[in-house]
Amino acid sequence: MTARPLARGFSTVAFQAALMVTMTCTVVGVAAADEPQPLRRVRPQSARIADAIAQGVERSATFRRLVESIDATDGLVFVAEGKCQHGTRACLLMSVVIAGSDRILRIFIDPRRAPGCELVEVIGHELQHAVEVLSNAAIRSGIQMYRFFDRVKNNGDVKRFETAAARQTSLSVAREACRRS
Ligand SMILES: [Zn+2]
C-alpha cells in the first residue's frame, strides 16, 4: 500500500521537471527564431535607399537613434524614391494610414537631388520628422499631422514646415556619416 503514493510522488516530480525543460526550450527557441529578423519599422522601397539607410545606421549615432526610436513606436515608415511638391528634394507626406495597430507614414526622396552621402543626410532629416509625429500618439490622420506641424514649425512658411530638431539632425548626420559640418 505504501508503493502507490511513492510512485505517484515520483511521477509528479518527474512531470514537473519535464515541464520545466519543455518551457525552457520553448523560450530559448522563440528568442533564437526572433533574433535574426527583428521587426524593422523603417522600410526602404528601393535598393539605393536601403543602402543609404544601412550607411546611416553604420556611420552615424544620430541616424541609428532615429531608427531605434521608430522601432520602439507603432509606426511603419516607408521610404521611397519620388517627387515632392513645392520643389523640395524630400518630404514626409501629410498622411497617416491606420493599418491594424500600426500607423503608416510615407517619405519621398528625389535621389537625383541628393547625390552621394547627401541621400543619407536627407533621409535622416525626414526620419526626424517621422519621430516627431510618431512620438505623439494623438496624430492619427493627415489633418492632425498638418495641424501638429503648423503648431510646432519654426519657419513661418504655410506650405513647407520645418523644425529646429530636423535642421539639427541634418547637420549631425552630415558630420557623422558624411564627414561634413
Ligand atoms: Zn524638414
Side-chain angles (χ1 to χ4, degrees):
M1 291 297 287
T2 53
R4 259 192 201 168
L6 271 176
R8 202 177 295 145
F10 176 78
S11 59
T12 303
V13 170
F15 176 71
Q16 283 172 345
L19 191 65
M20 283 174 68
V21 169
T22 305
M23 286 170 66
T24 306
C25 287
T26 304
V27 171
V28 169
V30 167
D34 279 351
E35 262 168 33
Q37 282 198 324
L39 181 60
R40 301 324 308 241
R41 291 192 162 269
V42 176
R43 308 274 175 92
Q45 301 296 290
S46 77
R48 178 157 44 182
I49 289 189
D51 284 349
I53 289 174
Q55 280 181 37
V57 166
E58 189 188 320
R59 299 180 189 169
S60 162
T62 301
F63 198 105
R64 210 155 39 238
R65 271 198 302 275
L66 289 166
V67 170
E68 286 167 2
S69 300
I70 292 169
D71 277 347
T73 70
D74 60 348
L76 287 175
V77 182
F78 291 92
V79 186
E81 296 184 21
K83 289 218 166 99
C84 300
Q85 292 180 311
H86 314 306
T88 56
R89 59 185 179 169
C91 54
L92 173 67
L93 297 193
M94 287 288 156
S95 151
V96 181
V97 174
I98 305 295
S101 58
D102 295 322
R103 287 183 290 168
I104 297 175
L105 305 184
R106 288 191 175 277
I107 288 170
F108 277 157
I109 314 265
D110 184 352
R112 285 170 306 176
R113 299 184 60 195
C117 194
E118 276 182 49
L119 187 56
V120 180
E121 174 192 332
V122 166
I123 293 171
H125 179 104
E126 298 305 326
L127 290 182
Q128 167 60 33
H129 286 314
V131 167
E132 288 162 1
V133 171
L134 294 172
S135 349
N136 190 331
I139 302 176
R140 298 179 63 77
S141 72
I143 289 286
Q144 287 167 330
M145 193 200 279
Y146 181 91
R147 287 182 184 145
F148 168 74
F149 280 119
D150 195 38
R151 205 167 56 242
V152 302
K153 71 181 177 184
N154 65 350
N155 61 336
D157 194 326
V158 293
K159 290 179 179 167
R160 297 167 50 172
F161 299 152
E162 195 51 279
T163 64
R167 282 201 186 97
Q168 184 54 52
T169 297
S170 292
L171 296 176
S172 300
V173 171
R175 191 177 56 244
E176 295 161 4
C178 312
R179 306 284 180 259
R180 292 193 286 112
S181 56

